[in-house]
Amino acid sequence: MKKAALEVFGAAVAAVDPYRAVKAHLRLRGDVLEVGLADASTTVALPKPGQGRVLVVGAGKGSAPMAQALEEILGERLSGGIICVKDGHGLPLEKIIVLEALHPVPDERSVEAGRRIAQLTRNAGENDLVIAALSGGGSALLTLPAEGVALEDIKTLTNQLLSSGADIGEINSLRKHLSQVKGGRLAAMAAPARVINLALSDVVGDRLDVIASGPCSSDPSTFAEAQEVLNRYGLANAAPKSVVEYLKSGVQGEVPDTPKPGDEAVESVVHAVVGSNRLALLAAAAHARSLGYNTLVLSSTLCGEAREVGKVLVSIAKEVRAHGDPAKPPLCLLAGGETTVTLRGAGLGGRNQEMALAMALELKGIDSICALSGGTDGSDGPTDAAGGVVDGETVVLGESRGFSAEQFLAENDSYHYLDGVGGLIRTGPTRTNVMDVQILLVR
């Protein structure tokens, strides 16, 4: 069953390959680009040769294969570009410069990438076309702090938010208001050039203003809302002083807010979400059916505390096993989204590994159920694992080796527990990112 679960996970990841996703959503017909799926596309005319340029900018874990597809589609019509990807996620490209930087906490290379991408975008003219290739991880990889806010303060705040249990929308509301390029500001820089925004969604609901912190999308959030996130998680006094002071200046109207809905510079952008969590789940369901399983997609919008969500998913699998509800076995239950972890200990792991360990505890001694939780990007937290796969023997095996699953979970040390019982999933960089996938097989 573990082997089958891993196969289903592989099918989910393959379905959201960024290269294929861009190819499916962007087609060159003579001097016109068709943006979107064939049955619902928007046309954008290319600049006439010698009168304008086609530039590519972007950031994220999946931006390199997206850029590779753009080079092939545009050919000689492409003038150049710059993207920034996570270390190890780069690809050799001909016209587009590939920079690498740290993720999930930005480093000096992220700032340099932000500076170079901003400069290229700012220099675009009214006859130019700028194509943004954005994917999960873009928030950290495209970093250009607001005036007066140091990178070290952004890093400190990011770590505080990741440890607090704040969700991606809350984190991004702060990122957008502490940046020169996020929250629609990149698109505003490009004006009056035309902009196409290709986004590989790593957020619940596929919101364009949240993916990579929405560099090319209007931002409905405000300085006051960003300030409230600090208050909500008890960071009003713990956050770096420059952050607190800059947000205060924004609330008082001393600093311009991000471009809002209706702003001409961002409302003219042509958008296409080229890949999503739901697409991955549908592909996973198709593969599970080929293995002889009935399938049920529960949700592509999971959120909440990882360990608690894991318990709920296992409870549904138990109901299937005992009573055949909400569907009869053999069944593959599928879910996806992005949960959070509130750090209580000093261990190593990520939200998928934490969920997997929590599910293992609920499955102890139960046969005929296997559970997997994995990040489609192949990287779960600050580890080399994508997630974990467990069953009724996982905790039993750990006990035979002197491991207490409860203690490891209390210390947020799911990585070392799962590593010790052979439960880690290691895929290496997948160069895509549409959040997480949960798979529960019930015989």
Side-chain angles (χ1 to χ4, degrees):
M1 293 180 77
K2 286 183 179 179
K3 180 181 177 182
L6 289 168
E7 277 190 30
V8 173
F9 180 64
V13 173
V16 287
D17 173 74
Y19 172 86
R20 288 191 291 175
V22 170
K23 286 272 192 170
H25 286 79
L26 195 71
R27 297 162 299 282
L28 181 60
R29 310 289 190 200
D31 291 331
V32 174
L33 277 174
E34 293 180 356
V35 185
L37 295 176
D39 58 348
S41 61
T42 301
T43 58
V44 178
L46 288 179
K48 293 181 180 179
Q51 296 184 17
R53 301 172 297 165
V54 179
L55 303 171
V56 171
V57 297
K61 299 173 187 176
S63 293
M66 294 175 78
Q68 185 180 50
L70 287 170
E71 284 197 339
E72 292 186 12
I73 293 167
L74 294 165
E76 294 182 357
R77 304 300 296 272
L78 176 63
S79 303
I82 304 172
I83 64 169
C84 185
V85 302
K86 181 178 177 178
D87 284 320
H89 286 60
L91 290 171
L93 300 178
E94 293 183 6
K95 291 187 176 181
I96 300 170
I97 297 170
V98 181
L99 306 175
E100 294 191 351
L102 193 64
H103 179 277
V105 179
D107 60 6
E108 290 290 348
R109 295 172 299 160
S110 311
V111 176
E112 178 62 19
R115 187 176 295 115
R116 293 178 64 177
I117 288 171
Q119 182 178 6
L120 181 65
T121 305
R122 196 179 286 116
N123 290 337
E126 63 178 334
N127 294 323
D128 294 335
L129 173 64
V130 177
I131 303 177
L134 301 171
S135 63
S139 293
L141 296 165
L142 181 60
T143 297
L144 191 58
E147 292 292 337
V149 180
L151 173 62
E152 286 303 316
D153 292 342
I154 295 291
K155 291 166 66 174
T156 298
L157 177 67
T158 301
N159 282 322
Q160 289 174 327
L161 291 167
L162 290 172
S163 301
S164 70
D167 65 35
I168 189 65
E170 293 169 321
I171 293 172
N172 281 358
S173 70
L174 277 158
R175 284 170 163 168
K176 286 186 282 190
H177 286 88
L178 296 168
S179 170
Q180 298 182 50
V181 291
K182 296 175 172 56
R185 288 190 166 116
L186 191 69
M189 281 181 185
R194 293 166 300 151
V195 178
I196 296 173
N197 179 31
L198 305 177
L200 188 75
S201 176
D202 70 325
V203 299
V204 172
D206 302 333
R207 285 178 50 185
L208 289 164
D209 63 303
V210 182
I211 301 168
S213 297
C216 297
S217 308
S218 60
D219 175 29
S221 71
T222 64
F223 271 109
E225 291 170 352
Q227 189 180 63
E228 175 55 29
V229 174
L230 293 186
N231 297 333
R232 189 176 304 137
Y233 292 98
L235 298 174
N237 295 320
K241 182 178 179 181
S242 70
V243 168
V244 175
E245 290 299 318
Y246 188 81
L247 292 177
K248 181 180 177 182
S249 297
V251 171
Q252 295 174 346
E254 298 170 7
V255 179
D257 211 328
T258 48
K260 297 293 176 258
D263 187 300
E264 185 177 349
V266 290
E267 289 303 310
S268 62
V269 176
V270 175
H271 299 281
V273 176
V274 300
S276 67
N277 187 264
R278 178 156 183 84
L279 179 62
L281 293 179
L282 293 176
H287 191 77
R289 286 192 292 273
S290 76
L291 297 177
Y293 287 89
N294 300 316
T295 61
L296 182 60
V297 176
L298 297 171
S299 174
S300 62
T301 60
L302 281 187
C303 57
E305 193 72 22
R307 62 178 68 184
E308 300 304 322
V309 172
K311 292 178 183 178
V312 172
L313 291 176
V314 170
S315 73
I316 297 172
K318 288 179 178 178
E319 190 71 12
V320 171
R321 178 177 179 267
H323 304 293
D325 287 322
K328 296 186 181 301
L331 182 67
C332 175
L333 290 168
L334 293 160
E338 187 166 284
T339 58
T340 53
V341 172
T342 301
L343 292 179
R344 301 172 177 85
L348 183 65
R351 58 182 181 262
N352 288 288
Q353 294 162 70
E354 176 128 340
M355 187 186 294
L357 183 52
M359 291 194 291
L361 279 165
E362 298 300 309
L363 289 173
K364 179 183 177 181
I366 297 175
D367 63 4
S368 70
I369 299 178
C370 170
L372 178 153
S373 184
T376 55
D377 60 356
S379 176
D380 184 39
T383 75
D384 62 350
V389 58
V390 300
D391 59 17
E393 294 298 313
T394 300
V395 172
V396 176
L397 178 59
E399 289 175 346
S400 72
R401 297 178 179 179
F403 299 164
S404 167
E406 293 88 350
Q407 186 62 37
F408 275 82
L409 188 60
E411 290 295 322
N412 299 114
D413 200 14
S414 51
Y415 177 88
H416 289 114
Y417 185 93
L418 293 171
D419 194 31
V421 296
L424 287 178
I425 305 168
R426 290 186 173 97
T427 63
T430 64
R431 294 185 175 86
T432 190
N433 185 14
V434 295
M435 301 185 288
D436 306 329
V437 170
Q438 284 78 40
I439 300 163
L440 291 92
L441 299 180
V442 188
R443 282 207 303 266

